[in-house]
Amino acid sequence: MEQTPLEPPIASLPPTHTPEVSGENPRVLDPSSPSFIGREGLLALATGTGYLLFWPLVRAIPSGALAIVAATTLISLFLVLLFTVRLARSMRSPRAVGLNLALSLLVVLPSVLIPLLVRVYPAWSGWGALFPYWQKYSGLFRAVNGLHALALIWMATSLGVAVSQLAREFKLVLPMGVALAMVDIYAVFGGGLVSTAVSGKNEVAQTAMRALTVQLPTIQPKSGAAPFPLLIGFADFLFIAVFFACFSRFHIPARRTFQVLFVTLFLYMGIVFLQDIALPALVPIGVVVLGMNWRRFRYERSEAFALLYAGLLLSGVLAYFIVRFPARTNQTFKTPTTMRRHSP
C-alpha cells in the first residue's frame, strides 16, 4: 500500500502542501504513523508547558494598562488555540482517541460533576466523607495556575476528535459548522444553558458554566483593580478540535485557517472585553472555518437542495425558540461562550 505523506505542523505548513481538488475528498492520512504522533504530541506538550509558565509571568506584571492586557491576551489565546490544534492532530488512531478521552474524563470530570452535584443535592450525607478527598484533588489544580484549564482543554479536544470520526467525507464539515453556530446562538441569545446562567436565577447553570470555562491569565496590578478575566467555553475548544481533526484526517492544509481564526477570535474577545457583552464564539469559528475552505465543499444538486431546506428549517426552529424563550440578562453576571465575568 502506498504511504501517504506526513503532514507537517501548522507553523511550517506550506499553502501548496495539498493540491486543490474540487468535488473529491483528499486522501485520509494513515493512522499508523508513530513519528507523526510523537512529533505532534511533543509539540502539544511544549505548548501546554509554555502556557503554564506564562501564568506566573503575567501575574508578576505590575501594570494593568489596556495595551498590556491586550498583549498578554494575544499570547495566551495563541497558546491555548495552538495547544488544542496540536493535541487534536496528535490523536491519529481510534486507540489514541479512546485512551485520551478515557484518561481526560477520569482526570477532569470530578471537577465538573462534584460542584454540580453539591449544588443539586446539598443535603446528601456522603459529602462529609468525600470532602477530604475533594480537598486533595482540587488542591492539585490550585497548586499550578492554568493546570485545570489545560486539563479541561484536553478533555474537550479528546471529545472533539471522537466526534470528528463521524464525518466520513470532508463536505460534511459544512453542515456541522452551520448547525453548531446556530446552536451557540440559541445558547447565548435564547433559553439555553448560557442564557440561563446569565439570568442569575439558576445557580446550577452558573455552577456548570464556571466548571466548563477556561480562564486566560489575568494581570494582578500592585495598585488599582485587576482587569476582569477573559474566559473561553468548553464547547469552543471541542468544536475547534472537531474541525482541525477533520483537516488532519482528510489532509487539508490548515495553517491559513488557524491564522485567520486566531486573529478573528482575538478581535472578537476584544469586543467582549471592551463592550462587556455576551457573544457566541462558535459563530466566528464556523464562519472562519467554512469561509477559508469554501472551495472544498462540492455537492450534487440534490445534496445542495437538501442542505438548503435543512438550513431553512433549522433557522426557523432557532428563531422560534429565541422568540419563545428569550434570554434573560442580569447585569451582575454574564457568561457567554467567550466571555468576560463581572465578578473576579
Side-chain angles (χ1 to χ4, degrees):
M1 180 180 295
E2 180 184 354
Q3 290 285 338
T4 52
L6 301 183
E7 185 181 5
I10 289 178
S12 60
L13 186 62
T16 58
H17 181 70
T18 300
E20 299 282 345
V21 181
S22 299
E24 298 182 8
N25 275 320
R27 291 176 297 173
V28 179
L29 286 177
D30 182 4
S32 57
S33 303
S35 60
F36 184 87
I37 297 173
R39 184 178 187 182
E40 286 293 338
L42 288 175
L43 289 171
L45 180 61
T47 305
T49 303
Y51 179 71
L52 295 179
L53 294 175
F54 190 61
W55 264 89
L57 293 178
V58 173
R59 290 295 180 92
I61 297 176
S63 172
L66 183 60
I68 302 297
V69 173
T72 55
T73 301
L74 184 73
I75 296 172
S76 55
L77 178 64
F78 176 77
L79 290 174
V80 294
L81 289 180
L82 189 59
F83 176 73
T84 304
V85 174
R86 295 288 192 197
L87 191 58
R89 289 158 56 100
S90 71
M91 301 179 198
R92 306 302 306 150
S93 67
R95 181 180 178 183
V97 175
L99 182 61
N100 277 275
L101 183 57
L103 291 177
S104 62
L105 288 173
L106 182 64
V107 171
V108 183
L109 208 54
S111 68
V112 177
L113 291 181
I114 291 180
L116 286 176
L117 293 175
V118 170
R119 183 68 67 179
V120 176
Y121 305 105
W124 184 52
S125 59
W127 295 129
L130 289 177
F131 184 71
Y133 300 100
W134 171 253
Q135 277 191 316
K136 294 179 180 179
Y137 167 82
S138 58
L140 293 175
F141 288 122
R142 289 195 301 268
V144 181
N145 287 324
L147 184 60
H148 184 266
L150 286 185
L152 194 64
I153 296 173
W154 178 28
M155 185 175 74
T157 302
S158 301
L159 184 58
V161 177
V163 171
S164 73
Q165 303 297 312
L166 300 176
R168 299 302 179 184
E169 298 178 277
F170 183 72
K171 61 185 179 181
L172 294 178
V173 171
L174 190 151
M176 288 171 61
V178 173
L180 293 173
M182 289 187 174
V183 169
D184 204 25
I185 291 174
Y186 170 72
V188 175
F189 298 123
L193 174 63
V194 174
S195 59
T196 303
V198 167
S199 69
K201 298 179 180 180
N202 191 314
E203 294 182 348
V204 175
Q206 292 180 0
T207 301
M209 291 304 301
R210 291 191 183 100
L212 291 172
T213 51
V214 171
Q215 178 181 329
L216 299 183
T218 308
I219 293 174
Q220 301 291 323
K222 294 181 178 179
S223 60
F228 294 116
L230 284 168
L231 309 174
I232 304 176
F234 178 87
D236 301 333
F237 293 108
L238 191 156
F239 291 111
I240 288 173
V242 169
F243 292 135
F244 280 89
C246 287
F247 291 151
S248 184
R249 280 183 60 216
F250 296 109
H251 213 181
I252 302 296
R255 184 182 66 176
R256 289 182 179 176
T257 301
F258 177 84
Q259 292 171 344
V260 175
L261 178 63
F262 164 61
V263 174
T264 301
L265 287 181
F266 175 71
L267 297 176
Y268 201 71
M269 293 184 72
I271 296 174
V272 171
F273 182 83
L274 296 175
Q275 299 299 320
D276 197 13
I277 56 177
L279 294 174
L282 286 179
V283 173
I285 292 172
V287 168
V288 169
V289 168
L290 301 182
M292 293 296 295
N293 297 275
W294 188 256
R295 290 183 298 173
R296 302 182 188 279
F297 302 112
R298 290 289 184 266
Y299 299 93
E300 296 179 1
R301 184 180 179 87
S302 60
E303 292 176 328
F305 275 105
L307 287 176
L308 177 61
Y309 296 147
L312 292 175
L313 177 62
L314 188 57
S315 299
V317 172
L318 174 66
Y320 168 78
F321 276 102
I322 289 179
V323 173
R324 181 67 177 81
F325 305 102
R328 299 177 181 179
T329 59
N330 183 333
Q331 295 301 319
T332 62
F333 189 92
K334 287 189 178 180
T335 317
T337 307
T338 299
M339 64 186 180
R340 172 190 176 188
R341 280 182 56 187
H342 280 219
S343 57

